[in-house]
Amino acid sequence: MTEPNWHIVARCEEIAPGKMLRVEVGWHTIALANVEGTFYAFDDFCPHMDYYLSDGPLEGCQISCAMHGWTFDIRNGDPCPPLVSPQMDTYPVKIEDGSIQVLIK
Ligand code: FES
């Protein structure tokens, strides 16, 4: 049973390791990423100019925007040097019965 604010967004097998999937939950556009079997969720709109972050390359836990190259750590949303700000929004993730669930507050 899904708890309040946790949303089932995909099945684990839909996202191969090293791949991403864009999902819509209400007015949220969220990118899901599989990094070596661990799933992460982050706001898919780049904080710079709203380009889709998931269109850029994912290297380990770092996503780089395809438009101007801003790079973020998908584990915590921290900007990666030389970028010092802003923060990227991330979402807590849990897996239940093979389903990926994302907490949206
Ligand atoms: S739109 Fe993403 S870095 Fe500019």
Side-chain angles (χ1 to χ4, degrees):
M1 182 172 151
T2 303
E3 300 168 335
N5 300 319
W6 285 98
H7 299 264
I8 297 172
V9 291
R11 298 280 305 165
C12 294
E13 62 267 23
E14 293 180 72
I15 312 170
K19 300 296 183 183
M20 294 179 283
L21 177 69
R22 181 181 305 135
V23 297
E24 307 278 346
V25 183
W27 54 270
H28 298 270
T29 301
I30 297 171
L32 305 172
N34 178 346
V35 180
E36 298 180 359
T38 300
F39 292 89
Y40 299 93
F42 53 95
D43 186 348
D44 203 14
F45 288 121
C46 180
H48 183 213
M49 293 178 68
D50 288 343
Y51 198 77
Y52 286 128
L53 283 169
S54 62
D55 284 349
L58 177 68
E59 294 183 24
C61 287
Q62 294 188 349
I63 183 70
S64 295
C65 181
M67 184 61 83
H68 307 106
W70 287 18
T71 301
F72 301 89
D73 188 322
I74 66 172
R75 294 171 293 187
N76 51 26
D78 286 349
C80 298
L83 192 65
V84 294
S85 70
Q87 193 81 12
M88 177 183 75
D89 289 335
T90 60
Y91 300 86
V93 171
K94 69 177 180 179
I95 307 298
E96 276 189 9
D97 299 326
S99 293
I100 304 169
Q101 297 187 24
V102 174
L103 180 63
I104 299 175
K105 296 178 182 171

